[in-house]
Amino acid sequence: MALNGQEPDSGAESLSSDEKEVVASSTERDGSAEEQPAGEDSSESSSSSSSEDEAAEEQEEEEEEEELPPRCDESGVSCLPACHHCKKENEQKEQVTPRILSGGQHVLQLDGEGTYQCSITGLIFEVTGAVKITYCLLSWSKYASLVKKPWIVGGPLFDVRCDLASALSSIQFPHSLCLADHGAGMAFKVLHIKGQEAAIEPTAEYSASHVKWVVSSLSPVGPLLQSQEPVQYHGAVILYKVVDPHPSLSFRVYVATNNDSFIKDISRAVKHSNKKFIKIDKPPVCQKLLQNGKRYRLVCEPEAEVTPEEIEFVDGSLLKLKSYIEVYLEKPDDFTLSLVELESEATVWKAKLRESDWIHYDQNKNEQKKSTGSVKKRKPSSAEEPCHKKQRTGNPPDGAETKNLTDQQLMVIAKLFGRQWREIAIECLQMEMKDIEQIQETEEEVNMQKFLVLSKWRDREQSEGTAEALYRSLRDKASYEILQALQGFSAGC
């Protein structure tokens, strides 16, 4: 990786005694990411809870899903759109996929010396020997009081642990900035939070995508930036639809930096809202850069109620309340959303939304209600009752119509899986990463790898390796096409 050296630094830049008092007094207060329509006043969280407290909160939030942009395809090559302003990096790191535990914990078991990049978070670890690294994504808003001007957030915040700290020599943190030709006017450091205190520490180098930090000790760390010129961000637009019985459509549109901590805050805010939402899967990455202070307008075709009509972009990583734009359409028709920069009238992001992007959620919900209702209304004969009892215990009777998925059906499903199939297999099918890696070692073709994982699931489930069972396991994660195919297999049984 082509890295730029930082200016000489005498060492860590400790916080003032007043700032340390803020840290100590704020650890008793807890804050969670909230949301508000853009244009309303936003407030900063003064919480600086310890990483242990935040991990406990993550546990309470059920194994919350991390809605992070996919970084790699099946071959391990980065699949994020390349920014034509940023210089390309020629050096390839060995891609590794961590095990994902409850509470958003990621675990990597590295076998020996080398430089490894996490395919989910983008973190790069340089190690001198075999180590086990555990890490999780944190919210910047909990540590907002520690980030003092002129420093601003440069990328996501992580808590990293290692069973042999001396073997972890450096960590490279992904940043969300476009350096282009302005890197010389920027200075990177990291905020290193140590229990009740924090320090601003020097970084070793930086590149078009990462900030390198030589490990001093392990606790929450994230990149900070100081710039003499306007900062430009790689941006993301994230969509959520309100789920309710009304025929009209209501959406929340979040405009964010492509910063995983920011994006996770948005996910948490939506989850804790009084309303129920589903995430609309559209390419999130902005095609043009976002800049603090510039104004943008969200345009809907055909016309809809958009509130507010214009926003001034700010990096909301430190804000407790995440701003959003509300879009309301009275008629459920297909429509197009575009984010336009007012000054240049350039389109920054654009997406076509169709009823099929969200209708499968309602169909699945109705199918479940219909199925449940039919079982309740039907009065089985005495001869049928033992069969239903056996089915409820997970042991279908001889001659039952429900059949296990065939090899041909599993191959159909395998070909429909996208690049996140490993994560889905781990989260939804309870597959072990070691089993997936073993399959990948023996089989090079990606679709066959997916098929063998599904086959292993079917064999483990024995008589319950059915289309219905796979549908139930995948319905919260799989694509519309996969769920439709499984419904078709079920109907054909």
Side-chain angles (χ1 to χ4, degrees):
M1 183 190 317
L3 292 163
N4 297 315
Q6 291 285 94
E7 294 181 3
D9 200 304
S10 60
E13 186 177 308
S14 299
L15 298 176
S16 67
S17 58
D18 291 339
E19 290 168 339
K20 291 178 181 178
E21 288 176 9
V22 171
V23 179
S25 62
S26 63
T27 51
E28 298 176 1
R29 295 191 296 271
D30 187 23
S32 61
E34 301 292 342
E35 66 241 288
Q36 67 176 28
E40 295 183 8
D41 292 337
S42 296
S43 63
E44 294 187 1
S45 166
S46 61
S47 167
S48 59
S49 307
S50 67
S51 59
E52 289 81 4
D53 292 337
E54 183 156 350
E57 179 183 306
E58 295 288 347
Q59 285 280 44
E60 292 173 2
E61 292 179 351
E62 297 177 333
E63 306 169 7
E64 182 176 333
E65 300 300 334
E66 294 183 50
E67 297 177 358
L68 308 183
R71 297 182 180 275
C72 303
D73 59 18
E74 289 89 343
S75 64
V77 178
S78 173
C79 60
L80 284 178
C83 173
H84 66 278
H85 297 289
C86 297
K87 296 177 181 178
K88 293 184 178 180
E89 298 170 9
N90 297 322
E91 187 177 351
Q92 295 292 326
K93 305 296 185 298
E94 181 176 347
Q95 297 284 332
V96 287
T97 301
R99 288 191 299 123
I100 302 176
L101 307 181
S102 62
Q105 295 284 331
H106 298 68
V107 180
L108 278 179
Q109 184 68 57
L110 304 178
D111 296 331
E113 181 180 3
T115 303
Y116 304 87
Q117 181 169 20
C118 172
S119 63
I120 296 177
T121 65
L123 284 171
I124 299 175
F125 302 102
E126 184 179 357
V127 299
T128 57
V131 292
K132 178 181 178 182
I133 304 174
T134 304
Y135 50 102
C136 65
L137 187 65
L138 302 181
S139 170
W140 273 109
S141 64
K142 291 182 176 294
Y143 305 96
S145 62
L146 306 180
V147 182
K148 304 296 184 181
K149 291 183 178 180
W151 295 103
I152 60 175
V153 170
L157 178 70
F158 288 93
D159 185 19
V160 181
R161 308 286 175 175
C162 183
D163 63 347
L164 185 61
S166 60
L168 180 56
S169 56
S170 72
I171 303 173
Q172 293 181 39
F173 298 91
H175 64 72
S176 53
L177 308 165
C178 179
L179 303 186
D181 298 323
H182 308 299
M186 296 182 178
F188 283 99
K189 292 195 178 182
V190 298
L191 182 70
H192 192 181
I193 301 165
K194 306 174 183 180
Q196 303 296 317
E197 300 182 354
I200 296 177
E201 296 184 357
T203 57
E205 302 163 316
Y206 66 87
S207 72
S209 60
H210 285 76
V211 177
K212 184 175 181 179
W213 172 66
V214 177
V215 175
S216 57
S217 62
L218 292 175
S219 56
V221 180
L224 298 179
L225 168 74
Q226 183 176 336
S227 177
Q228 301 172 355
E229 303 175 4
V231 177
Q232 294 184 313
Y233 296 91
H234 296 121
V237 176
I238 304 168
L239 306 173
Y240 288 90
K241 178 188 176 294
V242 176
V243 178
D244 58 31
H246 303 297
S248 58
L249 302 177
S250 182
F251 295 84
R252 282 187 181 178
V253 181
Y254 289 88
V255 181
T257 60
N258 202 351
N259 174 336
D260 291 348
S261 289
F262 194 163
I263 293 171
K264 186 174 183 180
D265 278 352
I266 292 172
S267 174
R268 183 183 297 136
V270 170
K271 182 177 180 180
H272 289 175
S273 172
N274 293 330
K275 298 180 180 179
K276 186 174 181 60
F277 292 86
I278 57 169
K279 188 172 184 292
I280 304 301
D281 187 17
K282 291 294 176 181
V285 179
C286 294
Q287 300 306 306
K288 293 185 179 296
L289 302 172
L290 300 177
Q291 184 173 316
N292 269 350
K294 283 198 173 182
R295 299 193 65 81
Y296 299 84
R297 173 185 291 130
L298 189 67
V299 178
C300 183
E301 298 178 0
E303 188 175 351
E305 293 182 26
V306 179
T307 309
E309 294 181 353
E310 299 178 7
I311 62 168
E312 180 179 326
F313 177 76
V314 294
D315 175 18
S317 298
L318 295 175
L319 301 178
K320 177 181 176 182
L321 303 180
K322 304 302 182 186
S323 298
Y324 62 86
I325 304 170
E326 185 178 57
V327 178
Y328 176 81
L329 295 94
E330 194 166 325
K331 296 181 180 180
D333 296 326
D334 296 353
F335 62 99
T336 300
L337 287 178
S338 304
L339 186 67
V340 178
E341 182 188 299
L342 290 183
E343 183 180 348
S344 65
E345 297 187 352
T347 299
V348 175
W349 171 90
K350 188 174 184 178
K352 174 80 172 180
L353 280 79
R354 305 171 181 84
E355 192 175 18
S356 60
D357 292 325
W358 61 83
I359 194 64
H360 69 278
Y361 175 89
D362 298 321
Q363 286 178 339
N364 295 343
K365 190 175 179 182
N366 292 335
E367 283 294 324
Q368 292 167 14
K369 288 182 177 179
K370 182 178 179 182
S371 176
T372 304
S374 64
V375 172
K376 289 182 178 178
K377 292 178 181 178
R378 185 184 176 198
K379 293 184 178 179
S381 65
S382 58
E384 290 175 317
E385 287 181 20
C387 295
H388 288 298
K389 288 180 180 178
K390 287 183 179 180
Q391 286 175 335
R392 281 194 289 267
T393 62
N395 299 312
D398 294 337
E401 292 185 2
T402 303
K403 297 179 182 179
N404 276 8
L405 288 159
T406 65
D407 286 350
Q408 290 75 17
Q409 290 171 333
L410 287 182
M411 181 55 77
V412 170
I413 301 300
K415 290 180 177 179
L416 292 174
F417 271 111
R419 54 178 166 261
Q420 290 183 303
W421 65 274
R422 289 177 292 260
E423 287 86 343
I424 293 176
I426 293 170
E427 294 179 39
C428 301
L429 304 182
Q430 286 73 53
M431 301 299 294
E432 295 289 336
M433 192 62 208
K434 62 180 181 180
D435 295 328
I436 297 177
E437 291 174 344
Q438 186 176 7
I439 289 172
Q440 290 179 314
E441 288 175 1
T442 58
E443 175 57 57
E444 294 183 0
E445 209 279 314
V446 175
N447 283 330
M448 281 301 299
Q449 293 173 5
K450 301 174 188 177
F451 167 79
L452 291 172
V453 167
L454 289 171
S455 180
K456 189 175 184 67
W457 168 85
R458 180 187 59 186
D459 295 343
R460 186 190 67 202
E461 297 297 311
Q462 298 181 0
S463 60
E464 288 296 312
T466 63
E468 293 90 337
L470 188 56
Y471 180 95
R472 288 193 299 270
S473 297
L474 298 177
R475 63 188 173 195
D476 292 331
K477 279 286 188 180
S479 67
Y480 175 64
E481 290 77 9
I482 290 176
L483 299 180
Q484 284 290 94
L486 289 172
Q487 285 181 331
F489 295 155
S490 299
C493 289

